[in-house]
């Protein structure tokens, strides 16, 4: 439809439509008819003045004006955008008016407003804090280019053993050449580096990376250049890049760091670049301070591997392909019969089922807390809206529709929700720091959790949803009565209508039931944690400290030199005042390595169903078992581990068959009737036969039953490896002992790299960190939920008493005793409590089955946990009922009857 009103031949009606002063008044219907009539009357009068008759003038006026229906269509078309803007403006003004009125109403009742906002803030804050963790750990991709497709690649031992190892360099090269499901595969080696550019060396986190690692991650150096392929070749000049944090801390961010010489592990490197801030390696918790080029020269070297899935491929597709490649590639996985099945997983898969279930359980728990908070605020709004029924009736009598009144109540609830969100975000920000501090070592990545835009959007969405949830029921219940009913009723009686009372009671029952569910869960986790702490680790961890040392082969080229260094270290450590004993081993219990290969027993055939291909493994030096406190159950301890050196500097051989010891559980599994001592075993077809000379007590972490360490073997310590664990038993505190240990080791040789010392007690504490983490948070949420439920119950009972003041006064006037009044009120409260506990117990029976895998030594239907949860709920809620009941018993009947 053309808008050119000056077009020749256009009817006057159309021109008139364009020239009217439109203001979004929707000039249709009678307004348009009046406009048509006015124009025709004026045109007819003009034509009659020109000499036409009345009929002719009327006909000519209609012909010139055009079809009135066309005029009507033009008017409606032109007015439509103005009308829409006007309607939007009126609605905005209406919402603004609602908001201003709601603010005034909330300011008039500060106690109600503060309680409602804080209640919602607790629920929203807890949800936001936990969602930040869930989003970071389970939902967010690795924060690099194509991070949602970055996977970690490991080689797996047969599925029954559930063990994985890092691939060999040769395997990685074959995968890189043949794989089609991944568009890039890169290797890296994390580890600690001894860094020095002055008199004092420093142990920092380092990483050796391939030249294509930074392009793989989609980042560039902040300063300088990346590693070139030539830097990773054998014989290349040693170069390195430093992390952004180390650059700022040691060099003040100066650009002249490029070309600087630094000493890394006793070797001089040239700094060629600085990494961008915050750059770490996916799947690794710590940010490296030193980056070195990775050499893929030795086929037997094992390293960490990452890849990026091609579009349209899943990790399962990549696993199948890499497994097939490893199975057919020549020379791969030699000496390890069962190694070769690739296991490709994302970051959340590496976290483990236990931690995923823990986080999901925590998220569900805070969801229940939020529901309880919503129910509490809904109860408060029901009471408040009920007391305003006369106000709503007057407004309705003045023309406000029910929808308008509902919108007003919802506006108030949305304001409360948004205010609760603002306060909740502050609580979440503080609570997130507490959660990170309580988190176990396996969740070190939580240090990077932030209040990201996704989390903020989640919080606002949750706030809006909760505002609707707890606002709808009060809004409709407060406006359901007719104007006459509301105006005839007093404020007190009107606010206590039967449907509102039923809704309030239902909400309280629901709150108590949800609280019982959380309390039962917290009780189960507490009893499980108590059972974990009672587990005997199999050794004495008190005063036991271990320090890992590395003796680089460039400085300790022979077994003799390493033996001499270890002997000197042990002599120096034993001279430290307060040190009771010291020994050397490959690991301090309960830690240890693993050994691979099918177990064979001389003279016996092991059934396929009983076969094992992986066992726990540790090397033990002289006095190892006495120092760590592992008991000898059968046989004897093998020959001392460090042979003395001859005058010529060569090591004396102990001679005889190779001797080993095994754990008690190992012996019971394959020699249930005894006879393990003297038996000969080996791992794999090409392994050496080993003679069992003793059976040692089982060593385990709490809750570690069924793990690889259940079946453990010990061999004499060998200096053929470059690393060792110096194990010390002392009465000295760690803060005093560790510096002296480091000094004794450094005195033996300045080229020995010393790693961070760790006590056996801290290792055990880390083993129970996950259940402690879950127990602490669930317990806190359960207490919070119970507190909210008790506050809600108290509010409902207290309000019910206030509504029945006249009835109570009459009962007292007719002779009722205070105990009768208390019993009357308590009976109402106990009815709600009993229903809530019954429903909560029934719900907990089904809900706690979900956490069965997180429990140790206790079932999901543990009677003690259920009884304690129910009794605690009954005890606390009875107090919430007794206080208003006691107040009701003290009512003066005369005062009550006068006030009505």
């Amino acid at each position: 439809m053309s808008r050119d009103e000056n077009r020749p031949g256009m009817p006057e009606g159309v021109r008139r439509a364009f020239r009217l002063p439109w203001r979004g008044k929707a000039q249709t219907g009678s307004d348009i008819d009046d406009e048509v009539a006015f124009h025709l009357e004026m045109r007819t009068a003009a034509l009659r003045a020109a000499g036409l008759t009345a009929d002719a003038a009327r006909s000519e006026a209609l012909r010139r004006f055009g079809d009135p229906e066309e005029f009507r269509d033009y008017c409606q078309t032109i007015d439509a955008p103005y009308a829409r803007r006007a309607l939007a403006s009126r609605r905005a003004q209406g919402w603004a008016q609602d908001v201003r009125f709601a603010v005034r109403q909330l300011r008039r009742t500060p106690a109600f407003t503060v309680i409602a906002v804080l209640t919602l803030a607790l629920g929203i804050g807890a949800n936001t804090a936990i969602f930040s963790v869930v989003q970071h750990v389970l939902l967010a991709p690795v924060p690099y280019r194509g991070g949602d497709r970055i996977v970690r690649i490991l080689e797996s031992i047969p599925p029954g053993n559930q063990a994985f190892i890092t691939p060999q360099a040769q395997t990685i090269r074959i995968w890189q050449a043949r794989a089609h499901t991944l568009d890039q595969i890169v290797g890296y080696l994390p580890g600690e580096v001894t860094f020095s550019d002055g008199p004092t060396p420093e142990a920092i986190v380092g990483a050796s990376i391939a030249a294509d690692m930074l392009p793989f991650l989609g980042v560039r150096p902040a300063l300088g250049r990346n590693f070139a392929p030539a830097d990773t070749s054998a014989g290349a000049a040693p170069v390195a890049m430093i992390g952004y944090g180390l650059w700022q801390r040691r060099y003040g961010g100066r650009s002249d760091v490029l070309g600087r010489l630094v000493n890394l592990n006793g070797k001089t490197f040239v700094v060629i670049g600085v990494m961008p801030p915050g750059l770490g390696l996916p799947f690794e918790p710590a940010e490296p301070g030193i980056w070195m080029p990775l050499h893929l020269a030795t086929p037997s070297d094992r390293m960490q591997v990452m890849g990026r899935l091609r579009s349209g491929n899943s990790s399962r597709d990549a696993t199948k392909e890499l497994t097939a490649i490893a199975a057919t590639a020549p020379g791969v996985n030699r000496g390890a019969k069962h190694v070769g099945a690739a296991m490709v997983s994302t970051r959340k898969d590496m976290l483990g089922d236990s931690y995923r279930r823990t986080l999901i359980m925590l998220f569900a728990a805070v969801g229940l807390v939020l529901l309880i908070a919503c129910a509490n605020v809904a109860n408060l709004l029901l009471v408040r809206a009920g007391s305003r029924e006369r106000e709503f009736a007057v407004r309705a009598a003045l023309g406000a529709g029910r929808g308008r009144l509902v919108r007003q109540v919802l506006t108030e609830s949305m304001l409360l929700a948004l205010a609760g969100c603002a306060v909740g975000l502050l609580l979440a920000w503080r609570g997130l720091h507490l959660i990170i501090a309580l988190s176990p070592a396996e969740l070190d990545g939580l240090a990077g959790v932030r209040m990201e835009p996704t989390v903020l959007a989640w919080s606002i969405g949750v706030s809006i949803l909760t505002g609707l949830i707890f606002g709808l029921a009060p809004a409709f219940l407060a406006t359901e009565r007719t104007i006459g009913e509301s105006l005839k009723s007093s404020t007190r009686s009107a606010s206590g209508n039967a449907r509102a009372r039923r809704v309030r009671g239902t909400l309280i029952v629901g709150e108590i039931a949800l609280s019982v569910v959380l309390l039962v869960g917290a009780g189960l986790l507490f009893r499980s944690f108590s059972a974990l702490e009672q587990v005997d680790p199999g050794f004495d961890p008190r005063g036991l400290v271990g320090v890992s040392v590395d003796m680089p082969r460039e400085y300790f080229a022979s077994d003799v030199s390493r033996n001499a260094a270890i002997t000197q270290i042990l002599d120096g450590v034993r001279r430290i005042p307060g040190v009771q004993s010291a020994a050397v081993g490959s690991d301090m219990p309960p830690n240890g390595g693993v050994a691979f290969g099918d177990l064979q027993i001389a003279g016996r055939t092991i059934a396929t169903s009983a076969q094992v291909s992986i066992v726990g493994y540790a090397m033990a030096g002289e006095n190892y078992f006495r120092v760590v406190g592992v008991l000898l159950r059968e046989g004897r301890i093998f020959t001392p581990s460090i042979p003395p050196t001859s005058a010529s500097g060569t090591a004396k051989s102990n001679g005889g068959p190779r001797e080993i010891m095994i754990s008690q559980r190992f012996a019971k599994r394959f020699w249930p009737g005894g006879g393990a001592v003297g038996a000969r075993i080996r791992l794999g077809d090409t392994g050496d036969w080993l003679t069992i000379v003793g059976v040692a007590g089982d060593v385990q972490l709490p809750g570690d039953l069924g793990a690889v360490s259940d079946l453990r073997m010990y061999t004499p310590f060998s200096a053929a490896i470059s690393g060792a664990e110096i194990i010390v038993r002392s009465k000295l505190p760690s803060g005093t002992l560790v510096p002296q240990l480091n000094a004794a080791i450094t005195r033996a040789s300045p080229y020995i790299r010393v790693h961070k010392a760790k006590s056996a007690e801290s290792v055990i504490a880390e083993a129970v960190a996950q259940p402690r983490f879950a127990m602490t948070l669930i317990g806190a949420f359960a207490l919070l939920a119970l507190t909210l439920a008790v506050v809600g119950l108290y509010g409902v009972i207290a309000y019910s008493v206030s509504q029945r003041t006249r009835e109570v006064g009459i009962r007292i006037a007719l002779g009722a005793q205070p105990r009768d009044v208390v019993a009357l009120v308590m009976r109402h409260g106990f009815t709600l409590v009993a229903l809530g506990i019954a429903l909560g117990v029934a719900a907990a029976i089904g809900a706690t089955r979900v956490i069965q895998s997180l429990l140790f030594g206790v079932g999901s239907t543990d009677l003690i946990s259920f009884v304690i949860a129910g009794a605690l709920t009954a005890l606390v809620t009875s107090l919430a009922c007794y206080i208003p009941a006691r107040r009701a018993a003290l009512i003066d009947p005369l005062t009550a009857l006068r006030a009505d």
Side-chain angles (χ1 to χ4, degrees):
M1 186 178 295
S2 174
R3 297 181 65 89
D4 184 7
E5 64 268 26
N6 296 317
R7 190 175 62 199
M10 178 174 285
E12 290 181 354
V14 175
R15 291 193 180 98
R16 180 96 182 147
F18 281 109
R19 291 170 183 171
L20 287 174
W22 300 105
R23 295 292 184 271
K25 297 180 180 180
Q27 298 193 29
T28 57
S30 61
D31 291 336
I32 295 176
D33 292 340
D34 292 343
E35 184 66 29
V36 171
F38 174 76
H39 182 79
L40 290 178
E41 183 179 350
M42 296 298 294
R43 177 58 65 182
T44 300
L47 290 173
R48 290 190 67 186
L52 295 180
T53 62
D55 292 340
R58 180 72 179 177
S59 299
E60 181 62 17
L62 282 171
R63 186 188 68 78
R64 293 184 182 184
F65 184 82
D67 185 3
E69 290 299 325
E70 185 179 9
F71 174 74
R72 183 188 298 273
D73 291 341
Y74 269 98
C75 288
Q76 291 176 343
T77 301
I78 296 169
D79 186 60
Y82 297 99
R84 285 194 296 269
R85 285 196 290 269
L87 179 61
S89 176
R90 288 195 298 272
R91 285 178 177 174
Q93 291 174 2
W95 281 109
Q97 183 181 10
D98 287 343
V99 170
R100 289 193 297 270
F101 183 77
V103 170
R104 289 197 300 270
Q105 288 293 103
L106 295 177
R107 289 177 61 183
R108 288 173 183 169
T109 54
F112 162 82
T113 303
V114 170
I115 293 174
V117 168
L118 287 180
T119 301
L120 288 174
L122 290 172
I124 294 173
N127 267 269
T128 302
I130 295 298
F131 180 73
S132 298
V133 176
V134 171
Q135 193 270 342
H136 179 81
V137 176
L138 299 182
L139 304 180
V142 177
Y144 299 106
R145 179 175 63 87
D148 58 335
R149 293 183 288 116
I150 292 179
V151 294
R152 188 174 186 178
I153 306 171
L154 295 170
E155 288 183 329
S156 63
I157 306 304
N161 289 287
Q162 296 298 310
F164 305 97
I165 59 175
T166 54
Q168 295 174 321
Q170 182 173 337
T171 310
I172 297 169
R173 288 196 294 269
I174 295 174
W175 280 340
Q176 290 172 331
R178 299 186 184 182
H180 299 289
T181 55
L182 298 122
D183 60 13
Q184 199 172 0
I185 297 176
V186 294
Y188 66 96
L189 278 174
E192 198 170 80
V193 177
T194 301
F195 166 81
S196 175
D197 63 348
T200 305
E202 177 184 1
I204 61 177
V205 177
S208 298
I209 61 173
D212 55 353
M213 175 62 78
L214 294 192
F216 173 83
L217 297 177
V219 298
R220 295 180 178 179
L223 186 67
R225 69 172 179 87
N226 184 22
F227 296 131
D231 295 326
T232 62
S233 61
V239 295
M241 290 192 284
I242 63 175
Y244 189 88
L246 182 64
W247 180 45
Q248 296 292 325
R249 177 168 56 86
R250 292 292 290 259
Y251 305 106
R254 300 191 306 272
S255 59
D256 61 1
V257 71
L258 298 181
R260 190 181 184 94
L261 301 179
V262 296
N263 187 286
L264 304 177
N265 293 340
K267 190 174 182 180
T268 301
F269 285 71
V270 179
V271 177
I272 62 170
V274 177
M275 289 296 189
L279 179 65
L281 287 168
F283 310 103
E284 299 297 332
E287 179 181 330
I290 287 292
W291 304 73
M292 298 173 291
L294 176 66
H295 300 276
L296 295 176
T298 307
S300 62
D301 283 347
R302 295 189 177 275
M303 60 193 66
Q304 307 291 342
V305 187
M306 290 185 298
R308 183 181 288 107
L309 293 169
R310 292 184 185 274
S311 299
N313 290 286
S314 66
S315 58
R316 181 174 298 179
D317 298 330
T319 298
K320 291 180 179 179
E321 182 187 40
L322 297 182
T323 300
I325 293 173
T328 59
V332 173
N333 305 314
R334 53 190 177 183
K337 177 180 177 181
H338 290 286
V339 179
M343 191 277 291
V344 181
S345 63
T346 60
R347 181 174 66 173
K348 66 180 181 181
D349 294 330
M350 297 301 298
L351 187 64
D353 290 339
S354 179
Y355 277 99
R356 286 200 299 273
R357 292 193 192 99
T358 298
L359 292 178
I360 293 172
M361 177 187 64
L362 291 174
F363 195 45
V366 295
L368 296 182
V369 172
L370 182 60
L371 285 177
I372 293 173
C374 289
N376 244 346
V377 177
N379 258 326
L380 290 173
L381 284 176
L382 277 171
V383 172
R384 188 167 182 271
S387 64
R388 297 170 60 190
E389 238 178 71
R390 287 176 62 84
E391 171 201 332
F392 293 147
V394 171
R395 295 179 66 184
L398 295 176
R402 187 180 184 189
R404 185 71 173 79
L405 297 177
V406 168
R407 193 178 78 183
Q408 178 62 54
V409 177
L410 284 178
T411 300
E412 294 181 16
S413 67
M414 292 301 297
L415 279 180
L416 289 173
L418 293 176
C421 176
V423 179
L425 288 177
L426 293 176
L427 295 178
W429 179 67
R430 296 301 304 169
L432 196 55
H433 289 79
L434 181 60
I435 292 174
I436 293 173
L438 293 173
S439 63
E442 287 81 352
L443 290 178
D444 274 345
L446 292 190
V449 177
R450 299 289 184 272
M451 301 284 286
E452 299 176 357
T454 305
V455 176
L456 296 178
W458 160 267
S459 301
I460 294 172
V462 167
S463 303
I464 294 174
L465 182 61
T466 54
L468 291 174
I469 290 175
F470 67 69
L472 280 175
F476 284 104
L477 287 174
T479 58
E480 70 174 352
R481 301 181 77 182
T482 64
I483 299 174
E485 290 175 342
S486 298
L487 292 177
K488 289 177 183 177
S489 304
S490 66
T491 299
R492 273 187 197 172
S493 60
S495 62
N497 67 77
R499 183 178 296 184
R501 287 197 301 270
R502 287 195 297 270
V503 171
R504 288 197 297 270
T506 302
L507 290 174
I508 286 300
V509 169
E511 288 185 53
I512 294 173
L514 294 177
S515 301
V516 170
V517 172
L518 287 175
L519 283 172
V520 169
L524 289 173
L525 291 175
F526 177 79
R527 283 178 51 76
S528 174
F529 181 74
S530 299
L532 279 174
E533 288 194 315
Q534 300 303 317
V535 171
D536 181 11
F539 68 102
D540 185 4
R542 295 170 298 179
L544 198 63
V545 176
V547 181
S548 297
V549 297
D550 282 332
M551 293 169 285
R553 295 186 181 276
E554 56 265 32
Y555 299 110
F556 301 89
S558 66
D559 293 358
V560 173
S561 60
R562 287 189 288 276
N563 275 333
I566 291 174
T567 302
Q568 189 174 352
I569 290 172
L570 292 176
D571 289 342
V573 168
R574 288 167 182 153
R575 286 196 294 267
I576 297 175
V579 170
Q580 297 171 311
S581 56
V584 65
S586 59
D587 295 279
M588 179 181 68
N591 295 328
V594 292
F596 304 107
D598 287 345
L599 175 66
Q600 297 183 35
I601 301 176
R604 288 176 53 182
T605 300
I606 301 176
T608 303
S609 59
Q611 181 59 263
V612 296
S613 302
I614 178 173
V615 296
Y617 175 74
M619 300 174 72
E622 186 177 8
N623 296 326
Y624 174 90
F625 295 98
R626 181 176 61 82
V627 172
V628 300
V630 174
L631 299 178
L632 180 67
R633 302 295 184 181
E634 186 180 353
R636 64 176 177 83
I637 297 175
F638 43 56
T639 304
S641 54
I642 302 180
T645 55
S646 65
S648 62
T650 60
K652 296 179 181 178
S653 173
N654 290 313
R658 296 191 58 187
E659 300 176 342
I660 66 166
M661 297 173 62
I662 62 174
S663 65
Q664 190 173 13
R665 197 169 288 115
F666 197 155
K668 287 182 178 179
R669 178 165 177 177
F670 293 99
W671 294 273
V677 174
R680 298 172 67 228
I681 66 172
R682 70 175 180 178
L683 297 177
D685 296 331
T686 60
D688 295 330
W689 286 100
L690 310 172
T691 301
I692 300 173
V693 298
V695 176
D698 293 318
V699 172
Q700 64 182 15
L701 286 171
D704 203 26
L705 293 174
V708 170
S709 59
D710 278 0
L711 307 180
R712 178 177 290 226
M713 57 184 289
Y714 300 90
T715 64
F717 181 83
S718 171
I721 61 174
S722 60
E725 186 90 6
I726 306 301
I727 305 168
V728 178
R729 184 171 295 282
S730 169
K731 294 183 178 180
L732 298 174
S734 296
T736 304
L737 176 63
V738 171
Q740 297 185 67
L741 285 177
N742 293 338
I745 296 170
T746 305
R747 281 195 301 270
S749 173
Y751 301 109
I752 296 177
R753 295 201 296 268
V754 183
H755 299 276
K756 185 178 181 180
K758 182 173 289 189
S759 68
E761 290 175 309
S762 68
V763 173
I764 294 177
E766 289 176 5
V768 297
Q770 177 197 346
R772 182 190 293 113
F773 177 66
M775 179 197 68
T776 303
L777 291 185
I778 290 293
F781 295 147
L783 292 178
L784 175 60
L786 181 61
T787 301
L788 292 176
V790 168
V791 170
L793 177 63
Y794 172 81
V796 166
I797 300 301
Y799 181 72
S800 175
V801 169
S802 69
Q803 297 304 303
R804 301 173 68 181
T805 299
R806 186 171 183 273
E807 173 194 341
V808 172
I810 293 174
R811 287 176 179 271
I812 295 175
L814 294 176
Q817 298 297 315
R819 62 175 178 274
D820 299 325
V821 176
V822 170
L824 175 68
V825 177
M826 294 287 286
R827 190 181 306 117
H828 172 56
F830 274 150
T831 301
L832 299 178
V833 171
L835 283 174
I837 292 176
L839 290 176
V841 168
I845 291 174
T848 52
R849 293 178 182 175
V850 179
I851 66 172
Q852 178 63 62
S853 60
L854 301 176
L855 302 178
F856 175 82
V858 62
S860 61
T861 56
D862 177 62
L863 181 61
I864 295 178
S865 299
F866 278 80
V867 170
I868 291 177
L872 179 61
T873 304
L875 177 64
V876 177
T877 51
S878 64
L879 181 62
C881 296
Y882 177 76
I883 295 175
R886 182 64 180 170
R887 186 178 300 145
L890 299 177
I891 291 176
D892 182 1
L894 294 179
T895 304
L897 293 175
R898 280 197 208 102
D900 191 60

